[in-house]
Amino acid sequence: MTQVRVSVLLPVGPTSPWLSETLMSLKAQTFTDWELVVVLDGNPQVNRITVESAQLSQPVTVIEHTTSQGIARSLNAALHRSHGDLIARIDADDLSQPNRLSEQVAAFDLDEDLVLLGTSATVIDSHGSNVGSRIVPTGDSSLKRRLISRNSFIHPSVMFRKNVAILTGGYNLQCTRTEDYELWLRLALCGKIDNLPEPLLSYRVHQGQHTTGRIGISQTESQALLDVKLKLAREIGLPAVLARAIHALWRWNRTPHTFLRARANR
């Protein structure tokens, strides 16, 4: 395939009622030197029809999983089938503003040390109505400190350099709930990270999302995150004991607590 500048990775679950809207938002991009790599992760027949019906002018690669493989494995498959030197993410329920790709590519062109770039987002509901906003922090040094305590990037808004992501191992299959967060931590060790303050994504909130509310994090996944956090803490001069304490609090806040539910139900 002819080389393109940007590869858009789109994992699609078995039930994706907003897929057509997502594809139309990509079709409206002012930046045109991109390809779509879509992973149909379960129920590929129905969703393939939706992808084909969009009639995109850009090249489209379709990867089909007859049974669901999960988001991390799906994204790695798409990453290795991509041809662009920049990777953009989008989910099958979100919308990209028409100038999203052009704004992010321009930022990468201005700074060869930039490896990861997200954006703020408008929050929409299942009907597409605006219900709020997610304003993300900016600045390399500030974001690296924040990453020790929380994920400061909106996954479907990000763009990153493919060669760096491949070099660091891609998405970690051990991190089934935090595959994005763990990758951002590793990318932060390789160069500059930043967010654009403009809301270049419409982020849809609805029941059944990959991450909604408190979710349990396995010990293996927690340790994978902590290992990278400690490396980043060392790079930015944060004491390891403080990084460990911050991570422990983060994990506690992500965990459903039976005694809290019981107390709330009294």
Side-chain angles (χ1 to χ4, degrees), residues 128-156:
S129 301
N130 291 357
V131 294
S133 61
R134 290 185 61 180
I135 307 302
V136 290
T138 61
D140 176 65
S141 59
S142 175
L143 281 166
K144 285 178 177 175
R145 294 188 70 85
R146 284 174 174 270
L147 275 180
I148 302 296
S149 61
R150 64 180 69 87
N151 186 352
S152 298
F153 291 87
I154 302 170
H155 193 177

Side-chain angles (χ1 to χ4, degrees), residues 19 23-24 27 36 38 40 44-56 60 62 64:
L19 175 57
L23 293 170
M24 289 303 99
K27 193 172 184 178
L36 176 65
V38 56
L40 305 180
Q45 293 82 10
V46 173
N47 289 324
R48 175 181 273 278
I49 293 173
T50 303
V51 172
E52 292 173 347
S53 298
Q55 297 183 330
L56 297 175
V60 178
V62 177
E64 294 189 1

Side-chain angles (χ1 to χ4, degrees), residues 12-106:
V12 181
T15 304
S16 300
W18 299 284
L19 175 57
S20 180
E21 293 181 42
T22 299
L23 293 170
M24 289 303 99
S25 79
L26 293 175
K27 193 172 184 178
Q29 292 299 301
T30 58
F31 181 86
T32 58
D33 188 16
W34 57 273
E35 66 169 351
L36 176 65
V37 185
V38 56
V39 184
L40 305 180
D41 195 36
N43 195 22
Q45 293 82 10
V46 173
N47 289 324
R48 175 181 273 278
I49 293 173
T50 303
V51 172
E52 292 173 347
S53 298
Q55 297 183 330
L56 297 175
S57 301
Q58 286 72 21
V60 178
T61 298
V62 177
I63 302 170
E64 294 189 1
H65 295 161
T66 54
T67 58
S68 179
Q69 301 294 305
I71 189 168
R73 196 177 298 276
S74 294
L75 287 173
N76 280 340
L79 184 61
H80 287 281
R81 291 281 296 275
S82 65
H83 299 87
D85 61 288
L86 294 173
I87 301 296
R89 275 283 289 110
I90 187 70
D91 284 333
D93 46 7
D94 302 322
L95 310 174
S96 287
Q97 295 302 309
N99 61 330
R100 177 201 161 179
L101 295 183
S102 63
E103 294 288 339
Q104 289 183 294
V105 170

Side-chain angles (χ1 to χ4, degrees), residues 6 23 34 50 62 65 70 96 101 108 124-125 134 142 145 148 156 168-169 176 191 206 220 222 229 231 242 263:
V6 176
L23 293 170
W34 57 273
T50 303
V62 177
H65 295 161
S96 287
L101 295 183
F108 277 96
I124 60 176
D125 62 15
R134 290 185 61 180
S142 175
R145 294 188 70 85
I148 302 296
T168 61
T176 58
H206 57 90
T220 299
S222 175
K229 286 183 179 183
K231 292 178 182 178
L242 181 56
R263 186 181 182 89

Side-chain angles (χ1 to χ4, degrees), residues 107-115 161:
F108 277 96
D109 286 342
L110 288 173
D111 192 344
E112 63 181 12
D113 295 323
L114 184 64
V115 297
R161 294 195 189 274

